[in-house]
Amino acid sequence: MEKKGIGTVCVQGGYTPGNGEPRQIPIIQSTTFRYETSEDMGKLFDLEASGYFYSRLQNPTVDTVAAKICALEGGTAAMMTSSGMAANFLAVFNICTAGDHFITSSAIYGGTFNLFNVTMRKMGIDVTFVSPEVSEEELQAAFRPNTKLVFGETIANPALITLDIEKFARVAHKNGVPLIIDNTFPTPVHCRPFEFGADIVTHATTKYMDGHGSSVGGAIIDSGNFNWMAHADKFPGLCTPDESYHGITYAEKFGQGGAYITKATAQLMRDLGVTCAPMTAYYVNLGLESLHVRMKRHAENGMAVATFLENHPKVGWVNYPGLASYKGKALVDKYMPNGTCGVISFGVKGGREGASRFMSTLKMIAIETHVADARSCCLHPATATHRQLSDEELVACGVLPDMIRMSLGLEDASDLIADISQALENA
C-alpha cells in the first residue's frame, strides 16, 4: 500500500514495531541518553548525526507521535511543543526577528491575538490584522518590504469563520512568504491545508487530537513546499550560516523539506525549552488512534444542536459551519466537504445577562475553558478567553458580547438537546 487512508494513519502512522517489540509506542521517560565516546555525542551537537542526547530538544516518544501528525497532514517534517500557543509562537518566531513584520487574520483565538498584538510587539515584531474576508487587493496592501509570513486559522476560534486558504496562500506566495495555518478545529481528518497551498500548519494537540482533556500540547508541521533559498534575502535565519552550530546553513544542509523544523528544534527549542513531555505525547497518540471516528461524531452532534438552536425562539442567532445558512458555506464545501468540527457559537436573547443565565442553568454541559473534548462544554468568550480585549478588538475577532461558544462532545445528541432545551426554558 503506497497511500494509506486517514483512519489507517490515525491508528498505525509514525510507528511500526519490529519483531518482539512493543505494539504500543514506548514511553521513553528519560532526560538523557548514553554514548560510548565524546566524539559520538559531539556529532549530535554539531547536527552531523541523528539521535538523542537531551529530551529538551528531542525525545523518541515525542518524535514518534510528531511523525504520525506529520503523516496525517501530508508534511515532510514536524515537531511537538508544550502547548498550542507555544506552537504558534515558534512557528512565527522561527522566521521573524526584531524589525520584521507579519500579517494575520484578525479572526483568531484570543490568546493568539494577544500573543501577536502585545507580546510579539514587545519583542520588536510588528503585525497587521486583516479581516478573514479581505479581498486580494486589500490583503496585498497590507504587505511591507519586511513582511515575513501570513497567518490564519482554518476555522477561527470562536468566531467560526472559515478562511479562504487558497486566496491567502496565493497572495502570500506572490510576495515570497509562506502561509501558516492553525488547523486545530477541523484537524487533518476534515481539512489538509497543504493541499490548498498552505506551507506550515500548527495544532493545539490539547484539543481534538488528544480529545479527552488529559494533556496540553502543540505541533508544527512543514509541508516542504516553500523554497526558502529562492527568497534567501527574506529568511537569513534559514539561508545564512548559524554560528551557534559552526556555520551550518539550514536550508542548504537539510533541504527544503527539513530546514524549517530543524532550525526550530535546534535553535528555539534549545533556547526556549517549550518541550512536549513523553507522557504527553503518549496521551496524544492514544487520542489520535480514534481521531477519525471521533471527528465524525463531533460534527454530527454539532450539526444536530445547531439545527435545533436555529429554530428555537429564544435564540437570537446561530453560527455553525455545517448549516446551510452559514455565511461561508461555499468555502466549507470547498475545503471541508466531509464535515467541520463540533464547535458552535450562538446568542441567547437577553445579551450578556441572558447568556449567563442560560449557562448557569445547564445540567450536563459544563462551563469550561476548553473545547474539542469528548465531553460537551461551553463558555462566554467575552468574559473568559477574550476578556483582555477591548470592545473594538472583540468585534474584530468576531466575538459578540452575547456569544456563547459550545463544544459538542460524544454524548447522544438527544441528551445534549434536552439539556439545552431545559436551560433555554428555565433561564
Side-chain angles (χ1 to χ4, degrees):
M1 293 175 62
E2 292 186 3
K3 186 176 181 181
K4 297 180 174 64
I6 197 80
T8 302
V9 178
C10 281
V11 176
Q12 297 204 21
Y15 175 64
T16 303
N19 187 45
E21 292 183 345
R23 190 65 190 89
Q24 182 55 275
I25 65 169
I27 303 169
I28 309 300
Q29 192 65 44
S30 180
T31 61
T32 55
F33 302 82
R34 178 182 179 274
Y35 287 89
E36 295 289 345
T37 69
S38 294
E39 287 75 17
D40 289 338
M41 182 170 284
K43 291 177 182 178
L44 298 175
F45 277 90
D46 289 345
L47 303 181
E48 294 296 334
S50 60
Y52 302 92
F53 56 88
Y54 195 54
S55 283
R56 185 178 77 237
L57 279 85
Q58 288 181 284
N59 172 280
T61 306
V62 177
D63 280 1
T64 296
V65 182
K68 175 179 283 191
I69 296 172
C70 186
L72 286 170
E73 285 288 4
T76 57
M79 65 187 294
M80 297 188 71
T81 64
S82 59
S83 67
M85 287 294 294
N88 283 339
F89 173 66
L90 294 194
V92 173
F93 196 56
N94 200 34
I95 50 179
C96 280
T97 58
D100 288 338
H101 167 261
F102 69 100
I103 299 167
T104 179
S105 165
S106 59
I108 54 177
Y109 169 59
T112 307
F113 190 102
N114 195 72
L115 167 68
F116 292 168
N117 192 46
V118 179
T119 303
M120 296 197 80
R121 289 190 195 274
K122 291 178 180 178
M123 300 170 67
I125 300 171
D126 201 5
V127 59
T128 296
F129 292 91
V130 298
S131 166
E133 298 166 335
V134 67
S135 68
E136 290 196 29
E137 293 74 20
E138 291 168 329
L139 181 56
Q140 178 60 49
F143 277 83
R144 304 174 188 172
N146 60 339
T147 301
K148 298 301 175 71
L149 63 94
V150 180
F151 183 93
E153 293 179 357
T154 313
I155 300 177
N157 175 18
L160 300 179
I161 298 172
T162 298
L163 195 76
D164 190 342
I165 301 172
E166 287 188 344
K167 177 177 69 177
F168 274 70
R170 188 163 51 246
V171 180
H173 296 160
K174 178 183 175 182
N175 290 273
V177 302
L179 172 64
I180 301 178
I181 292 290
D182 184 328
N183 196 38
T184 296
F185 268 14
T187 80
V189 171
H190 284 157
C191 184
R192 286 163 45 111
F194 293 157
E195 296 176 358
F196 303 102
D199 301 290
I200 296 152
V201 159
T202 64
H203 281 277
T205 62
T206 317
K207 306 304 190 293
Y208 285 122
M209 285 189 169
D210 173 279
H212 298 83
S214 64
S215 64
V216 176
I220 309 171
I221 309 95
D222 183 10
S223 69
N225 293 330
F226 193 82
N227 189 338
W228 304 104
M229 289 303 290
H231 310 283
D233 59 322
K234 283 184 174 289
F235 306 105
L238 285 159
C239 303
T240 59
D242 178 6
E243 297 308 322
S244 69
Y245 277 107
H246 307 291
I248 285 175
T249 299
Y250 296 100
E252 290 179 352
K253 185 170 181 64
F254 300 101
Q256 191 168 303
Y260 179 87
I261 294 296
T262 301
K263 177 181 179 294
T265 302
Q267 276 189 2
L268 303 188
M269 193 62 80
R270 174 197 65 191
D271 295 343
L272 300 174
V274 285
T275 308
C276 177
M279 199 70 222
T280 295
Y282 181 83
Y283 289 142
V284 172
N285 187 64
L286 290 179
L288 288 172
E289 289 179 353
S290 63
L291 182 65
H292 58 300
V293 180
R294 289 185 291 105
M295 287 307 296
K296 180 179 179 181
R297 180 60 175 263
H298 282 299
E300 288 173 349
N301 279 352
M303 188 64 178
V305 171
T307 301
F308 168 78
L309 290 171
E310 195 172 39
N311 295 303
H312 199 285
K314 293 190 176 182
V315 175
W317 58 272
V318 182
N319 188 25
Y320 178 66
L323 291 172
S325 59
Y326 178 70
K327 185 178 180 181
K329 189 175 186 306
L331 293 176
V332 171
D333 292 343
K334 177 179 181 178
Y335 297 124
M336 294 164 281
N338 297 317
T340 56
C341 64
V343 182
I344 65 176
S345 61
F346 61 97
V348 175
K349 292 179 180 178
R352 285 178 183 250
E353 293 76 15
S356 178
R357 288 195 301 271
F358 166 79
M359 291 170 61
S360 65
T361 313
L362 290 166
K363 296 180 179 179
M364 185 175 68
I365 301 171
I367 300 174
E368 299 177 9
T369 308
H370 194 38
V371 287
D373 194 294
R375 297 159 289 267
S376 295
C377 57
C378 67
L379 92 168
H380 184 230
T383 55
T385 55
H386 290 63
R387 70 179 299 124
Q388 290 84 9
L389 306 185
S390 66
D391 287 345
E392 293 76 14
E393 289 172 334
L394 284 172
V395 172
C397 285
V399 177
L400 300 176
D402 64 342
M403 176 188 286
I404 296 170
R405 183 187 69 183
M406 183 172 286
S407 175
L408 286 313
L410 304 179
E411 304 93 345
D412 288 346
S414 59
D415 292 328
L416 294 170
I417 290 172
D419 190 28
I420 294 168
S421 179
Q422 66 82 24
L424 287 169
E425 295 303 320
N426 296 324

